[in-house]
Every structure is written in structure tokens, then in C-alpha cells.
Amino acid sequence: MTDLQNIGVRKIVAYTEESLIEGGKACATPLQMFGVAAVLRNPWAGRAFEENLTPEIMRIAPVLGKALTDRIVALAGSAAAIEAYGKAAVVGIDGEVEHASALIHTLHFGNFYRKAVGAKSYLSFTNVRGGPNCSLAIPMMHKDDEGKRSHYLTLQFAINDAPGPNEIVVALGASVGGRPHHRIGDRYQDLAALGSNETV
């Protein structure tokens, strides 16, 4: 069995989107967005409430982190090409939102992606409970600059048969480029106008 099979991964799904026209205007450079998701058995489903989730996190998260990072870098063409990034997880109805959170909110998962793309920003995220065909909404920001609004993006796609009641979907998102025709400036212009270096 492979490492992914050993941690209960049923399948891997890849998603690609390319925007050529936005607002009725052709994009000088098309925006490319990519997603990769793993559908796996929820290791805590069907068990009594568990205080300590660490053993399963340590068994599963590093394997997922490496496998999904390798795949999304390949989809984008290279780690250097990735400009914005994010992550998401959806747990099936027999699990807790904490189960989804457990697999993505650990450095044993996210650091594979951060290090691969040389990121300075944190990985923005969503973690929810849902059923089959639940939308995976992956919020993204620029990997080096959290205030760069041109790269505030959300990638959405769904998997028709996942998550099952006892499954979790874990996903990574990436963009090559920012929003076409972005024209709302960056956070720094607002700070200058407010005469402040604080955000709320």
C-alpha cells in the first residue's frame, strides 16, 4: 500500500481554472487558479469524544502536507510560479469541525507548502462541516504580502461524492497572478490616508 492509502485516502481530486475575460474586458494576463484535494477517512469518526487528537494528526498531517504540496506545485508548473495560496477542510456530518481543523491547523501540514513556495504570509483557511458536493471555498492571499489586495482570491470547487459522513476533505489552493483588472489599491494606501499604521 502507498502512504496515502495507509492514512485512508480514497481519492485525490485536482481542479484548474483560467479566467480569460473579467468584467467584459479581456485579461492581459489570464488568472490561473489551481486546487488539489484529498478525500480521506475521518480517523475520529465513530469514536467517543477524544481530548487528544495529536496521535492521528502526527500520523496523517505530514503525509497529506507533502502529497498535496507536490501535486499543487506540479499543477502550477513550479513553486516559484505560485503567487497566492490557501487551504481548506470539510468534515462529513459524523465528525466535528475540530476534526477538519486538526489536519490543516498544524505546522506538520502547512509548513510543506510554505517552505515549497518560500512564503512569508500565513495560509488563509476555511474549515466547515458539510456533505457530498459541499463547496470547497479556499481563500487565498499573496504568499509574501498579506496587504496586497490584488491577490485576495477565493477558489471554489466541489466533489460530487465527498465528503461522506465519515470522511474529511483536505485541500490546498494556489494562484498564478492576481485578480484581473484589480483597482482597489493595497491596505497601505488606507493606512496612509488614516494616518495610522494599525489595522482593525
Side-chain angles (χ1 to χ4, degrees):
M1 294 180 76
T2 67
D3 289 345
L4 288 173
Q5 289 169 326
N6 282 331
I7 62 168
V9 172
R10 176 164 67 87
K11 66 178 178 179
I12 302 283
V13 174
Y15 176 85
T16 300
E17 180 177 309
E18 185 171 8
S19 297
L20 305 175
I21 297 173
E22 181 67 26
K25 180 180 177 181
C27 303
T29 302
L31 168 64
Q32 295 179 301
M33 296 197 291
F34 306 95
V36 177
V39 179
L40 67 150
R41 183 179 63 252
N42 180 348
W44 301 286
R47 298 186 189 178
F49 184 90
E50 293 192 39
E51 286 290 344
N52 184 12
L53 304 181
T54 301
E56 296 289 15
I57 291 171
M58 295 302 296
R59 182 176 71 87
I60 296 170
V63 177
L64 277 183
K66 183 177 188 317
L68 293 182
T69 296
D70 289 348
R71 282 166 173 76
I72 203 156
V73 166
L75 273 178
S78 70
I82 294 173
E83 296 180 22
Y85 73 158
K87 61 186 176 181
V90 180
V91 66
I93 59 172
D94 285 351
E96 302 173 45
V97 172
E98 192 72 1
H99 297 161
S101 301
L103 295 182
I104 63 171
H105 297 309
T106 169
L107 298 181
H108 299 286
F109 173 79
N111 270 2
F112 285 96
Y113 199 11
R114 288 188 197 93
K115 289 179 179 178
V117 301
K120 298 175 184 173
S121 301
Y122 68 88
L123 271 160
S124 51
F125 66 90
T126 56
N127 37 234
V128 299
R129 182 187 293 112
N133 213 38
C134 176
S135 177
L136 276 160
I138 309 175
M140 296 186 283
M141 68 171 63
H142 197 282
K143 66 181 181 182
D144 292 330
D145 188 347
E146 297 166 12
K148 194 167 185 177
R149 290 179 178 151
S150 59
H151 288 65
Y152 291 176
L153 295 158
T154 303
L155 175 66
Q156 289 185 277
F157 63 99
I159 303 171
N160 68 310
D161 68 344
N166 65 345
E167 291 182 323
I168 302 174
V169 178
V170 174
L172 294 179
S175 84
V176 175
R179 291 191 316 280
H181 323 313
H182 57 87
R183 52 198 187 275
I184 60 171
D186 292 330
R187 189 170 57 179
Y188 313 112
Q189 287 92 333
D190 288 355
L191 292 173
L194 291 168
S196 170
N197 61 0
E198 296 181 2
T199 57
V200 291

